[in-house]
Amino acid sequence: MKKMLDGKKIGAGLAAATCSLLGQPAIAQDSTDAWQFDSAVLYYSEQDRVTAVEPVVRAKKQFQDESELEMKLTLDTLTGASHNGAITSDKPQTFTSPSGNSSYQVTNEVPLDDAFKDTRVAANMQYTRPFTRNLRWTGGLNFSNEYDFTSLGLNAGLLWDLNNKNTTLTFGVAHEADTIDPVGGSPVGLTFQSDEDKTDGSEDKSINDFLIGMTQVINRRWIMQLNYNLSISDGYHTDPYKIVTVVDANGDPLEAESFGANDIGAGDAQVFELRPDSRTKNALYWENRYHFNRDVLAVGYRFMSDDWGITSHTLDVKYRFQFDNGWYLQPHVRWYDQSQADFYKESITASELTSLQNSQGEVSADYRLGNLTDTTYGFKVGKEWANNQQLSLRVESFTQSGDSDASELDALITQVGYTFYW
Amino acid sequence: MKRLISLVAVMTALGALAGCQNLGVQPWERDLLAKPVMTPGAADGLDDALDDHIYFSKEASSGGRGFGGGGCGCN
């Protein structure tokens, strides 16, 4: 009996059940000699705004020594329009494009910058290896590049199995170095967009992450994971393409020329946003998976708070109906709620601008930093064959709602996935 | 607030760890737990990573499930 339990198959199963490293756990497959390929194409489409097409392929292999290698390649193509930060007004507003070469005017609509176009390439690699009976180390590299942004990251971690492998503790650290090279230069915060006051050269940001996690088997049907994640970032956090509208007492856009700035058209009192140069985030994550006779319920909850004044709650529920012949149907509901950052303002008055300029205070009208409630609901349907091949389709509806017109957003998430062994 | 959260996290982890010795299963009771669908982070293949990327670029929160950095200029 003992010999059989120590067998490789069960060993792999145990590792799969208990190991959940940084969200990238062990392979739980019998095909130990084959590479597992997970592939997917995500099609994300917002009404009137951004469309993203994102193909991903991930290759995983578990070796004889129970070490594991995982490589992932992601391509992300973005097109469409993105909110530029300005208010929605029945008076005309005039903006310049990010490059500063052209201007556009918007009335009665959410002001969108339609020059939004980018292609992102991301590559990740993660290697995990046991070095004692109960300890594994892991190390990883991440790289991503897009037109105006480059990110390089590395991580290291330790996984410690306890209590007959019913408990796994995870300790992880990660460092990410980002370089931002905005189109047309980095704008000087709180200056008028019409003045095109920008500096050449790139901006930097570094992020240090710490993660402590525990995965615990409760009983034969129930497994639980609890993570605490501290993320400290320093450097350039401002969105170089976002502006804030300066308004009068009626909430109508003012003119740049009345502040001594260049006149490029009506309602052109739009200043570049400015965010703090550091951010500390704390996140607690709790996931539960419960196996009924055939079906599986997964409930995840995250609490996050940061020193920008944002607090958020995320609830994620999936229920997998398992049918005969490998078919499954998985409805999914996600609910998200965040409170606004201390420096978020939908617009500012002339006197607020003066006091911000005098104190070099921060302000942003990016709706993603405002009060926000999001809901996602949809389903995934899939079929698994005896040789572990898997085909799936996911369709979800994503809705955002907040204090401003810009925050009202509807998007469709569609994804086709295919897993095979080779 | 930050310290309080850290303290709660550590206490919860320690408390849970102490209590965990009485939890769990024997190796021969892992038939259900060994399935990929019961593995946090792996149950839904690439969905989690794709979702994290979508919501990182549309919301002010990230991290928790894994590290908080996004490797993306979208936020």
Side-chain angles (χ1 to χ4, degrees), chain A residues 279 281 302 304 310 312 336 338, chain B residues 55-56 59-63:
Chain A
R279 185 179 184 188
K281 291 192 278 193
R302 175 182 64 186
M304 196 216 72
I310 296 168
S312 78
Y336 173 84
Q338 79 179 36
Chain B
Y55 299 122
F56 173 82
E59 297 167 347
S61 304
S62 65

Side-chain angles (χ1 to χ4, degrees), chain A residues 103-155:
Chain A
S103 65
Y104 58 101
Q105 209 170 63
V106 178
T107 313
N108 277 325
E109 282 176 11
V110 173
L112 304 175
D113 166 18
D114 59 8
F116 193 65
K117 197 174 269 187
D118 212 341
T119 302
R120 185 177 74 106
V121 181
N124 308 63
M125 196 169 84
Q126 193 79 29
Y127 182 69
T128 308
R129 191 185 169 95
F131 64 97
T132 73
R133 200 177 139 84
N134 293 316
L135 285 168
R136 281 163 288 156
W137 64 263
T138 184
L141 289 171
N142 309 302
F143 169 79
S144 97
N145 183 61
E146 54 202 276
Y147 187 70
D148 56 356
F149 184 90
T150 304
S151 171
L152 196 62
L154 55 151
N155 69 72

Side-chain angles (χ1 to χ4, degrees), chain A residues 235-255:
Chain A
Y236 189 78
H237 289 76
T238 299
D239 187 327
Y241 309 121
K242 295 269 191 274
I243 51 176
V244 183
T245 310
V246 187
V247 297
D248 62 17
N250 299 321
D252 292 329
L254 290 166
E255 302 300 324

Side-chain angles (χ1 to χ4, degrees), chain A residues 14-28:
Chain A
L14 289 183
T18 51
C19 157
S20 182
L21 166 72
L22 325 174
Q24 298 175 18
I27 302 169

